[in-house]
Amino acid sequence: MNNHAEQTFPELHDGILNSLNNILQPIPYFKHGGNQALNNCQDEYDTFVMAKFTCDNPQCSKRGWRSGKVTILIRGYQDNGYHAVVFNQRCERCNQLGALELDQPSYIDRVTYRLKKWAGFNMGTRSLREKKETPPHKSHLCEGCSRGYCELYRGQL
């Protein structure tokens, strides 16, 4: 668990490759680097993943929360490169950043879907049955919103 405003998960790259099942060539890679290296992306898309959070503030009475609307920003690079960053949320009681525990299957699903879409695969539309009902997104507690990404979400994947 980590209390940073944003996190990357390069350790989940093998799960993404397994999910893609060798359908993309060249083989996708996770692009590492600082802001300058990451700015030359060809594509950019933000959406949501799921996660659990705990509040580590000993004076706070909120133990934790779940969210189905955790902002993820996926950037696409030449030759199927990608970089994905997940934005943290703040505790609604004490405003401290939560400790994020990512739902790995939702992350792998979203990144895989986006890589296929950018590669030109016809992904169709996801049915409403696949979307789970979640509480309203609390923009004032979301690091993705505070950086201007969530408003780009248009209810599509």
Side-chain angles (χ1 to χ4, degrees):
M1 289 192 276
N2 203 318
N3 294 64
H4 296 290
E6 61 183 60
Q7 287 180 247
T8 60
F9 296 89
E11 67 274 14
L12 297 179
H13 178 67
D14 286 344
I16 290 164
L17 291 179
N18 289 339
S19 183
L20 287 167
N21 200 24
N22 293 320
I23 63 169
L24 295 184
Q25 294 297 323
I27 296 171
Y29 63 93
F30 184 89
K31 183 168 176 76
H32 295 276
N35 285 340
Q36 186 146 1
L38 297 173
N39 281 337
N40 64 347
C41 65
Q42 297 173 329
D43 296 293
E44 186 173 274
Y45 192 81
D46 64 283
T47 185
F48 298 112
V49 294
M50 296 180 289
K52 291 188 241 178
F53 298 89
T54 55
C55 183
D56 294 336
N57 180 353
Q59 283 100 26
C60 184
S61 61
K62 183 141 185 118
R63 299 238 186 255
W65 65 98
R66 294 179 185 267
S67 179
K69 292 185 178 177
V70 178
T71 305
I72 176 175
L73 174 65
I74 308 166
R75 291 181 172 132
Y77 298 89
Q78 185 175 350
D79 295 329
N80 294 321
Y82 73 94
H83 181 84
V85 61
V86 179
F87 294 98
N88 204 338
Q89 293 181 359
R90 296 186 172 276
C91 175
E92 65 185 339
R93 292 213 178 105
C94 72
N95 203 41
Q96 178 174 297
L97 283 172
L100 176 123
E101 184 181 334
L102 181 67
D103 179 87
Q104 294 180 6
S106 71
Y107 173 91
I108 291 169
D109 176 68
R110 296 302 165 95
V111 173
T112 300
Y113 180 91
R114 188 54 36 195
L115 289 172
K116 287 178 183 177
K117 190 130 174 126
W118 284 337
F121 284 81
N122 181 357
M123 301 304 293
T125 55
R126 292 188 173 189
S127 72
L128 293 176
R129 286 181 313 185
E130 293 182 51
K131 293 183 178 183
K132 293 182 179 177
E133 197 61 35
T134 59
H137 185 60
K138 297 178 181 175
S139 296
H140 65 289
L141 301 173
C142 172
E143 288 298 306
C145 286
S146 72
R147 294 168 190 223
Y149 291 110
C150 288
E151 73 264 16
L152 297 177
Y153 183 74
R154 307 252 190 288
Q156 54 197 347
L157 293 175

